[in-house]
Amino acid sequence: MEQVREGAVDVDGALARLRHMPFEDLGFAKVDHHRALRHGMPEVIFAMGKTPEQVAAIAERLIENAPNMLITRADPATAAYITERIPGAEYFPASRAIRVWGDRTVFGKGKIAVVCAGTSDIPVAEEAQITAEVMGNQVDAIHDIGVAGIHRLMNNRVRLTEARVVVVCAGMEGALPSVVGGLVSCPVIAVPTSVGYGASFHGLAALLGMLNSCASNVTVVNIDNGFGAGYVASLINRI
Amino acid sequence: MEQVREGAVDVDGALARLRHMPFEDLGFAKVDHHRALRHGMPEVIFAMGKTPEQVAAIAERLIENAPNMLITRADPATAAYITERIPGAEYFPASRAIRVWGDRTVFGKGKIAVVCAGTSDIPVAEEAQITAEVMGNQVDAIHDIGVAGIHRLMNNRVRLTEARVVVVCAGMEGALPSVVGGLVSCPVIAVPTSVGYGASFHGLAALLGMLNSCASNVTVVNIDNGFGAGYVASLINRI
Amino acid sequence: MEQVREGAVDVDGALARLRHMPFEDLGFAKVDHHRALRHGMPEVIFAMGKTPEQVAAIAERLIENAPNMLITRADPATAAYITERIPGAEYFPASRAIRVWGDRTVFGKGKIAVVCAGTSDIPVAEEAQITAEVMGNQVDAIHDIGVAGIHRLMNNRVRLTEARVVVVCAGMEGALPSVVGGLVSCPVIAVPTSVGYGASFHGLAALLGMLNSCASNVTVVNIDNGFGAGYVASLINRI
Amino acid sequence: MEQVREGAVDVDGALARLRHMPFEDLGFAKVDHHRALRHGMPEVIFAMGKTPEQVAAIAERLIENAPNMLITRADPATAAYITERIPGAEYFPASRAIRVWGDRTVFGKGKIAVVCAGTSDIPVAEEAQITAEVMGNQVDAIHDIGVAGIHRLMNNRVRLTEARVVVVCAGMEGALPSVVGGLVSCPVIAVPTSVGYGASFHGLAALLGMLNSCASNVTVVNIDNGFGAGYVASLINRI
Amino acid sequence: MEQVREGAVDVDGALARLRHMPFEDLGFAKVDHHRALRHGMPEVIFAMGKTPEQVAAIAERLIENAPNMLITRADPATAAYITERIPGAEYFPASRAIRVWGDRTVFGKGKIAVVCAGTSDIPVAEEAQITAEVMGNQVDAIHDIGVAGIHRLMNNRVRLTEARVVVVCAGMEGALPSVVGGLVSCPVIAVPTSVGYGASFHGLAALLGMLNSCASNVTVVNIDNGFGAGYVASLINRI
Amino acid sequence: MEQVREGAVDVDGALARLRHMPFEDLGFAKVDHHRALRHGMPEVIFAMGKTPEQVAAIAERLIENAPNMLITRADPATAAYITERIPGAEYFPASRAIRVWGDRTVFGKGKIAVVCAGTSDIPVAEEAQITAEVMGNQVDAIHDIGVAGIHRLMNNRVRLTEARVVVVCAGMEGALPSVVGGLVSCPVIAVPTSVGYGASFHGLAALLGMLNSCASNVTVVNIDNGFGAGYVASLINRI
Amino acid sequence: MEQVREGAVDVDGALARLRHMPFEDLGFAKVDHHRALRHGMPEVIFAMGKTPEQVAAIAERLIENAPNMLITRADPATAAYITERIPGAEYFPASRAIRVWGDRTVFGKGKIAVVCAGTSDIPVAEEAQITAEVMGNQVDAIHDIGVAGIHRLMNNRVRLTEARVVVVCAGMEGALPSVVGGLVSCPVIAVPTSVGYGASFHGLAALLGMLNSCASNVTVVNIDNGFGAGYVASLINRI
Amino acid sequence: MEQVREGAVDVDGALARLRHMPFEDLGFAKVDHHRALRHGMPEVIFAMGKTPEQVAAIAERLIENAPNMLITRADPATAAYITERIPGAEYFPASRAIRVWGDRTVFGKGKIAVVCAGTSDIPVAEEAQITAEVMGNQVDAIHDIGVAGIHRLMNNRVRLTEARVVVVCAGMEGALPSVVGGLVSCPVIAVPTSVGYGASFHGLAALLGMLNSCASNVTVVNIDNGFGAGYVASLINRI
């Protein structure tokens, strides 16, 4: 606007620039190059509900402007399609994530612990770990320390207290974040997983448990949303 | 039936006896004197949804045949009405239970631990304790050892392992039974409480958590059903 | 700690031993050899959400220390993979359980009755039966005695009253535990099954019914959790 | 229309008559005198959500054309207002029903049994009984025969089999209709009641249980809808 | 019992007879020959959750004693297995029912109308129709008369009023039973179907709608339970 | 911005004006004078959850710029407080609305029909009517034409077809919008009401029914949201 | 009726004509030629739950009387079957719609904007667009302008304000209709989509969000019901 | 333990110290002085479900060791009881919080923005603000900037981007966190409030919306849990 007053840019031009700059219109998608500018973060594509062709078209635009990219929820067909087309793309079948990790600068000021309650929760924890890593963090992954074997958890207490943020993934009753939350003094991001059966109602039991956590330092993301947890953990670790 | 064959009792008489013996018909209630015979247990009245007069009428019939009686979910009006009419009846306002405890014989072979996660869960724990006591058990009550302060729980570990059955009452995320279940090798009866707000949905979160417990030795009763937990714990402790 | 004071073990060594003893870290799983020590019980693996390779790796570690092992929720691929690798492993397709039953000592003091309401509930009842057997119990299985044909149930009344604990599996309206609970004086463990359609909501109707049972001696486990019911029944039968 | 062709009635007059005949417009209500004509039934007013004045205005119109009238869900204020204004109106506080029962002709061909599981279910059973009576039926009311005391139910088996239709009211787990349904061969109308607490979710558990009944002769009405059950039972008993 | 007194039958023999008569134990199923005796009805098998072999074994026992048999919810594999083994068995693929209809005596005193709201509801209506027919009733089937085209419904008004009972199957908003209920004076049995998408929640919307019907002559069965509706309609039509 | 270029307004001033113009900041509320500009509509305050003082402060600001104002969900205390302070404010106790109706210009091009199924739905219909009137529409209110008495509805068919938009309020099964939707060719706005009990779940049954309407011209607003329906009907009627 | 009075048509003939005219009975379907008459709209078939043969039979009857036809929710098998038989039928795989668009007259008085939040919502938006087009409207489709990138939305503000009605499709949190509703002054029709995972519960989260929109000009249709939104938008645009 | 080896403390004494140090047992509560040690945080009491006497007893113990204390969810009776007994205690009636704020040191490294969507959400925002302040943070409170008036939000964009963490409280559709999340690059903590009616289901709609936020920097706490949001925001701001 200062430029407008100085006459360096005319009004229409300014409006046009404002209109066209922040994203590119592919018709089926508005490709937003803003994130890198705004967040200093890698580009991210949520692949679920998109065709392999749509994912590829978006990815190709994004990778032009960013050294790092993460594609989440990619089924094997999409993964095959992408890894052929995007150089440096690596597929993680358990979490169904695709990662391009060109710039491995560490931005995080401390360590992020990514914890899961059982072996079946590993895919969600992996999504959180991959996300945190591509966002420039050192991750300490601790698996299978559910609350019914409290000695396994207590045995990892030191590693937990050394983290600057803790991500906790748990299905079934989702009790782990409360116990971890009581052991550490940093923020805990709880990820309910859909692991379980019957009255777990695809992760609802774990979700409700975590929302009602009696530990005050716990916040929650959507069921199986390892990405969101890794993302926010990274933001906190950068502060 | 043997008597019928021997002619000592005629068929109609036998039928009449069978019809009239096991319970007494007050019109609005069939007063069942069977429980004492069948279970060797005190008589129990669930007062919710009954008028004070109905509770009193049932209580008066039952107390004729049993030294011990428990009335649960009695509001203060019912409590006042009953304690005036039934000698020896004592009211517990927190749990809204009325107890007549004439015969204090101990039947339980060991100790029942009744544990609760927070101060607000005490009314439910109290109902379990009162029930277990009137059924002839020694109760070790441990309050306010929720999972977010795991040291308070670990500090009571020995008392827990000394119990023959453990009743665990918890609201909010309902995680305590899983942790206790992992610490002890005896059966754990989990009681979700309606303590909490928002996404606790009046105890639903705790209920679902407990049903999905990753500890194998946990079974569950209805929300706020301290009575049921105390009752089953007593049955197990008598075996 | 006594050893520490006596100097027989130095502090670091003690800590190391404490850290390493109770479980073994496979990375994706902490294999816990504690259960046998703690509960005198067979080792158990919950296969759902684990790859056949993960199940096998855990099973191989566990079977070194235990004569008996139970793997639940194993799909046919996992079953084939395991039965090839673990000698003595037997697969039960209806309940999807794999059992190694080396030590057939009877620990249970009485008989456990495992009852189901309909033929479709048999897989869940089978899981309970297999569990109770491998834990050293004599099981009396009674199938297809749902409440709408009350004479079939009444006809088995004697067998029910002879049991020290009763496991009752039922889907649809889940009414059987209440009726059985009224007939016997021992603890009843109710297992809602996902048998039904429409408003059964995959077992929710049966679950809610059982939680609201008017029989005081009923506790409940998760939908289709035959294992949990068999496990707790075994604990009670050992007391 | 025949009259129209014959010229006896002109078109506008016919339309006007058609418009005005079947109901009377009070502005806030269309008072329908059709029911008596159509069903041969007493007039019925559902008072919930209506002011005492509205109920009275409708009742005064209806009672002109019908000897019998039933007002359901009337709170005490409405009841006082109505019983002052409508001669012969009797209030039943437990079920909150008001009844004018001028014509006591019996239309029913047999007996309707109205059964309830517990004393707390009596208000709903009373609504069903009052409805069936005012519709010209002989009612056999049997209270407090819940399934956990199966001998109380079996003891009333003959009375049940003598009925032409059975109405069964039950809260909590709602199991009674299934057992009764198996004992009788006539239609059973199941009424879930809101009696219970916690996971009964105000009658939802009983409702789901009844909808999933394994007895084929059971149909269900809304929670606490004693009126609906009594009404349909009367229709069946008239056939 | 009279025989016992007269000595014609000894006590043990009487007990044995009582025990063995009403059903036959196949291990996985108690085959109940009671229904024919008790209800004068065809035998019925619910095939869902049973193996083809189990269904066949039960069917073979039942068909020995009954001219008519109905097998519901049979998948094509079961249907093929059964129709090969049971002479006279006919499969209806839309409703997945198998029927043996040897005795075609008409027991119903009037006509049963089976109505459905849309073409997609026909499979459920077909199950109701097949059931009512094999139970000896004349059925008038009226399809595709949903409420949004009220003229299609009004056009069939006479056929509806000629029925002695009406079965109404509807998915989506489930409004048809209320409108039909207002048009006829006989009992209406409402069957919610799982037809719909999104907020129909697999028939829940229709179920709730029907339970809250403002027509007093409506009762409800489980979602997609055409069998139950046809069964009760038949009972009513026999009275 | 043109002004900025021309130097008539400096950048900071422009930003300040932009910041301050569209709304006024009361601290607890941003009073938005935009609506009148943007929509040509009366000002509206949703009183629920606000103190009488807060409502009054907002109302006093708004009424300065607008001749018409509507306050919805005002309890009697708020109503008394407001009607004392705001000249011309009229309270409607059934719908709990307060209206200032200074400018009675008719903007609507046709008539809006506001229909309700039962007398108990009138408060919601009244809110819709008051809203539509204050927005400059002629309203035709038709009460108590629920679907179980289809003749009452058919009798009002002409009035319905004369409307340009129809608002339909119904509780219980919420079937009326589907039937009305089939009778008229204009848009129908369906308002589920919380009228009902038991399985109506405070309007959920009606809401789901309306969302699943088989009539294509039906859209839905929140439970009891008469205001929203009247508002959108007014927008459509102005087009 | 006037004709009846004049004797031009006899009563029986008139009744017959009324009965037979408005729809044609195919047995499994009543083909309604009324819509064109009543609504001036294309014929529409909802294919879900119908066999290809049923869809084809209905389509063939309908296309005789109408130049335009829309078949929604057609799976590929049905699409192949129809496009072979119905000349001019075009299949849209993303939205699974089949369209015959013979008469391309524009009836709409303005433009309908069809907006979606993300690329994954395009299939639902496409269904709305196809519907609006075949009903004679000019559609402006704007994709991928979800609220978390508010600049993408603000950039399209002018296009939005130029529309006469806006259809907004969004999954996940379903926030877009509220923001769009605040930007425009015309009616907004919100379509929740099933896009999302975990706590989106197949579109329930978006549905609830839209029903609770704080923008007054928003009404809602069923989850994924692009057709309904396009239909009502067309009705409004015709007014 | 080092002390144990050195003999300075004997084993029993060490155990005793470990047992007694971290908390004090009041019977109904274990008063934990750990938080201050562990988190450097004020003491916090959740008053809901505790008697005024219990709250006071806990508060009196805690305040001995801490300059700052927060009591949440205190009803007026508790507030009166506490403010009389605890010097310096201040009650905030809107949020029902009691605060003792002795030490006003600022620990936070930046500013915490606490935002709410509507005036009715202020009580929850106030709880967050009070919490953040007592934990040593500077808070920028911005009220009433809901998404339907996007200009009010955009107008506060600069204040939002200046914050180090943002807490967003919103009821109804809960859309605000997604829009704010897109505008800022720091972590956003979303608090669903129970503000709304009908299909808001006491905050469930807002909760689900926030869990499904398409903005990646959003985490969620329980409905109305302003305290939890303020607490975690403070932790993040301290890092």
Side-chain angles (χ1 to χ4, degrees), chain H residues 31-37 40-45 58-70 86-88 99-104 134:
Chain H
V31 179
D32 197 336
H33 303 298
H34 235 200
R35 192 194 297 266
L37 307 176
M41 295 293 180
E43 299 298 345
V44 182
I45 305 169
I58 300 172
E60 281 160 3
R61 284 305 188 291
L62 287 175
I63 205 66
E64 291 169 14
N65 299 281
N68 290 348
M69 184 172 64
L70 184 64
I86 307 283
R99 181 165 67 180
V100 179
W101 194 8
D103 176 0
R104 301 200 173 201
V134 82

Side-chain angles (χ1 to χ4, degrees), chain A residues 145-158:
Chain A
I145 55 167
V147 298
I150 200 77
H151 55 291
R152 295 180 299 177
L153 172 57
M154 297 309 265
N155 204 53
N156 285 285
R157 191 171 174 166
V158 174

Side-chain angles (χ1 to χ4, degrees), chain A residues 61-62 129 134 158 171 179 209 213 230:
Chain A
R61 284 308 186 289
L62 287 174
Q129 176 172 1
V134 82
V158 174
V179 182
S213 176

Side-chain angles (χ1 to χ4, degrees), chain G residues 26-47:
Chain G
L26 305 184
F28 59 86
K30 311 269 179 285
V31 178
D32 196 336
H33 302 299
H34 234 200
R35 191 194 296 268
L37 307 177
R38 227 172 13 188
H39 287 181
M41 295 293 180
E43 299 298 345
V44 181
I45 305 170
F46 179 68

Side-chain angles (χ1 to χ4, degrees), chain A residues 146-150 154 157 171-175 178-179 181-183 196-201 204-205 208-216, chain B residues 146-150 154 157 171-175 178-179 181-183 196-201 204-205 208-216:
Chain A
V147 298
I150 200 77
M154 297 309 265
R157 191 171 174 166
M172 302 176 86
E173 80 270 63
S178 292
V179 182
L183 291 176
Y197 63 92
S200 95
F201 296 121
L204 178 61
L208 294 182
M210 292 171 182
L211 286 168
N212 286 285
S213 176
C214 52
S216 308
Chain B
V147 299
I150 200 77
M154 297 308 265
R157 190 170 174 166
M172 301 177 87
E173 81 270 63
S178 292
V179 181
L183 291 176
Y197 63 92
S200 93
F201 296 122
L204 177 62
L208 294 181
M210 293 172 181
L211 286 166
N212 285 285
S213 177
C214 52
S216 309

Side-chain angles (χ1 to χ4, degrees), chain E residues 194-216:
Chain E
S194 54
V195 167
Y197 64 91
S200 95
F201 295 122
H202 310 292
L204 178 61
L207 172 63
L208 294 182
M210 292 172 181
L211 286 167
N212 285 286
S213 176
C214 52
S216 308

Side-chain angles (χ1 to χ4, degrees), chain D residues 179-238:
Chain D
V179 182
V180 170
L183 291 176
V184 303
S185 57
C186 68
V188 171
I189 301 171
V191 192
T193 75
S194 54
V195 168
Y197 63 92
S200 93
F201 296 122
H202 311 293
L204 178 62
L207 172 63
L208 293 181
M210 292 172 182
L211 285 166
N212 286 285
S213 176
C214 52
S216 308
N217 48 349
V218 173
T219 59
V220 185
V221 295
N222 195 2
I223 297 165
D224 291 335
N225 188 7
F227 162 70
Y231 191 94
V232 175
S234 300
L235 291 184
I236 296 174
N237 197 28
R238 280 182 175 220

